[in-house]
Amino acid sequence: MKLILNILGIFVIVFLIWLLSYKKKEVKIAMIIKGVIVELILAFILVKIPAGRIVVSVLSNGITKVLSYANDGIAFMFGSLADAQAPTGVIMAFQTLGAIIFVSALFNVLYYLGILSIVIKYVGKAVGKIMGTSEVETFVAAANMFLGQSDSPILISKYLGGMTRSEIMVVLVSGMGSMSANVLGGYMGLGIPMEYLLVASVLVPFGSMIIAKILLPQTEPIKAIGEIQIDHKGDNVNVLSALSEGGATGCQVAVSIGVSLMVMTSAVAMVNGVFGIFGLSLQQVLGTVFAPLGALMGLEGEHIRQAGQLLGSKLILNEFVAFADLGPMIKSLDYRTGLVMTVALSGFANMGSMGVCVSAIGALCPEQKQTLAKLAPKAMLGGFAVSVLSAMMVGLVTLF
């Protein structure tokens, strides 16, 4: 039964996105089928093939080890407040959000050295050859394995003005359907396994292309740009400068996330206060509305309602709120359920992300701001669908 529901779920998500398509008759069915097959194969390699699982495990352990070094800096600044075993217990502002600053600094160094650009370039070329998409949009989709919705467009800012509406849709969908590497440490601090997060990240490029090209197929002439040239040095004069700038950016991100979490938690409490008059809660409402997606992921029993609640929290609030709820329960879940729920929640697609994308990308290319504003609502739903589709792919392959 789980197998049938999982397969049905993939068809349902693709069909629902097709209903939102701007050009239904122009959707290239062969491209979509190819993308789904390739993503299924990739999910199978990552989740079922021993060699693939070993690679994911090694990367996960390596990243976890690197993240552990952030604790030294946090302890230096905040003393015992950085220790979850201290009498003060777990303090998210220091132990979870603090790691974001270090990871942001580290990734800025990797970007400065050109290491990230090389990886993104070759992954983008592979995705482009398979899907038959343009250089610039596949580059962005690949970049969103590591970078977020407002980071990856910076890499191709000088090409934004000449991009078609279909290519802009890829930028938006892949951005909102992805996670930025500098927040992975924050998710892990909430109790989410790094291994699960890596699986979700790797599936972003193909999932984004599938959804974006259904929402807005490529019908306009594409501007040929040849080899993409990326200025990865920026204003940094050396590694120390890159490290410092990355840390400052990470601090802004951490503060922004902290403020958002505080406000959202308070808002949920207020809404629950109103709903309580009728014997309800926001969590119960979201769990009921989004429960069908949990069922179509092949989940069972109470997990269907839990998945619905988490998905609703992610879309209406943000993924950090959802991961904060998932973290305490994930150790009690079986491997498949925990993995599927994590992948489904991975990504920035929520109500607030539309404004972030329009303002951030619009600042890089003002002439595209009107297009961005028009495409953003459907792109947000597309970004949400990217994560759900990836979760269904992963859930399907775990059944074999």
Side-chain angles (χ1 to χ4, degrees):
M1 189 61 181
K2 287 193 290 186
L3 179 63
I4 295 174
L5 284 171
N6 225 150
I7 294 173
L8 177 62
I10 293 173
F11 280 101
V12 168
I13 290 296
V14 171
F15 177 70
L16 290 175
I17 293 300
W18 178 79
L19 290 178
L20 294 174
S21 177
Y22 286 97
K23 300 177 181 179
K24 295 180 178 62
K25 294 181 180 180
E26 304 296 335
V27 175
K28 298 177 181 178
I29 304 300
M31 173 194 285
I32 305 307
I33 293 174
K34 185 192 300 184
V36 169
I37 292 173
V38 172
E39 189 171 2
L40 275 172
I41 293 172
L42 190 56
F44 191 82
I45 292 172
L46 295 173
V47 175
K48 295 296 291 185
I49 301 297
R53 293 198 64 173
I54 289 173
V55 170
V56 172
S57 179
V58 169
L59 286 173
S60 174
N61 292 337
I63 294 173
T64 301
K65 181 64 176 177
V66 170
L67 287 175
S68 69
Y69 297 132
N71 295 331
D72 289 348
I74 298 171
F76 176 77
M77 287 297 297
F78 302 109
S80 62
L81 294 177
D83 185 6
Q85 307 303 318
T88 49
V90 176
I91 303 177
M92 182 179 290
F94 303 119
Q95 298 153 20
T96 300
L97 299 182
I100 292 174
I101 300 174
F102 174 67
V103 176
S104 178
L106 184 61
F107 265 80
N108 203 50
V109 170
L110 294 177
Y111 176 55
Y112 171 80
L113 294 175
I115 296 173
L116 275 185
S117 299
I118 292 172
V119 175
I120 292 169
K121 178 180 178 180
Y122 284 103
V123 171
K125 282 186 175 182
V127 174
K129 285 184 178 180
I130 293 173
M131 298 296 289
T133 46
S134 70
E135 298 92 338
V136 67
E137 63 186 346
T138 48
F139 187 91
V140 173
N144 277 303
M145 291 173 60
F146 310 99
L147 305 175
Q149 55 191 344
S150 58
D151 299 324
S152 57
I154 296 175
L155 300 180
I156 48 92
S157 58
K158 60 186 175 183
Y159 303 114
L160 284 171
M163 293 177 72
T164 65
R165 292 173 75 248
S166 179
E167 290 176 311
I168 291 293
M169 179 63 85
V170 173
V171 174
L172 289 170
V173 170
S174 62
M176 288 190 265
S178 70
M179 300 176 291
S180 178
N182 61 2
V183 298
L184 292 184
Y187 300 150
M188 194 178 76
L190 296 173
I192 310 302
M194 181 59 67
E195 181 181 345
Y196 297 178
L197 295 170
L198 289 178
V199 171
S201 293
V202 173
L203 296 177
V204 165
F206 284 104
S208 299
M209 283 296 179
I210 292 168
I211 299 299
K213 291 307 178 184
I214 295 176
L215 282 173
L216 188 51
Q218 183 68 60
T219 57
E220 305 167 70
I222 298 174
K223 183 178 180 180
I225 59 175
E227 192 77 11
I228 296 177
Q229 300 297 322
I230 302 299
D231 175 22
H232 55 81
K233 300 292 184 180
D235 296 327
N236 300 305
V237 296
N238 53 38
V239 170
L240 289 178
S241 175
L243 189 70
S244 177
E245 182 183 307
T249 301
C251 185
Q252 294 173 357
V253 172
V255 170
S256 177
I257 291 173
V259 170
S260 175
L261 285 174
M262 184 172 62
V263 171
M264 291 298 184
T265 301
S266 300
V268 169
M270 182 177 68
V271 172
N272 282 340
V274 176
F275 281 9
I277 299 173
F278 308 99
L280 296 171
S281 69
L282 179 61
Q283 288 82 354
Q284 288 175 320
V285 173
L286 293 175
T288 301
V289 172
F290 289 90
L293 288 178
L296 290 172
M297 290 177 192
L299 302 180
E300 297 178 322
E302 184 64 12
H303 298 324
I304 293 176
R305 185 195 61 80
Q306 289 173 337
Q309 176 190 320
L310 293 170
L311 285 168
S313 293
K314 180 216 171 165
L315 182 62
I316 305 301
L317 304 174
N318 60 50
E319 85 289 349
F320 241 99
V321 174
F323 276 139
D325 290 335
L326 176 61
M329 71 172 79
I330 199 164
K331 289 184 179 179
S332 64
L333 302 176
D334 61 272
Y335 171 73
R336 180 180 184 274
T337 302
L339 177 60
V340 168
M341 285 189 179
T342 297
V343 175
L345 299 180
S346 300
F348 293 130
N350 58 66
M351 297 297 186
S353 65
M354 289 187 289
V356 173
C357 281
V358 172
S359 59
I361 304 175
L364 296 172
C365 184
E367 60 267 33
Q368 292 280 23
K369 198 162 188 175
Q370 189 173 7
T371 299
L372 291 164
K374 288 180 179 178
L375 299 182
K378 288 188 179 182
M380 185 270 291
L381 294 174
F384 181 77
V386 168
S387 300
V388 174
L389 181 63
S390 293
M392 290 175 173
M393 299 279 194
V394 169
L396 181 60
V397 300
T398 56
L399 295 174
F400 292 94

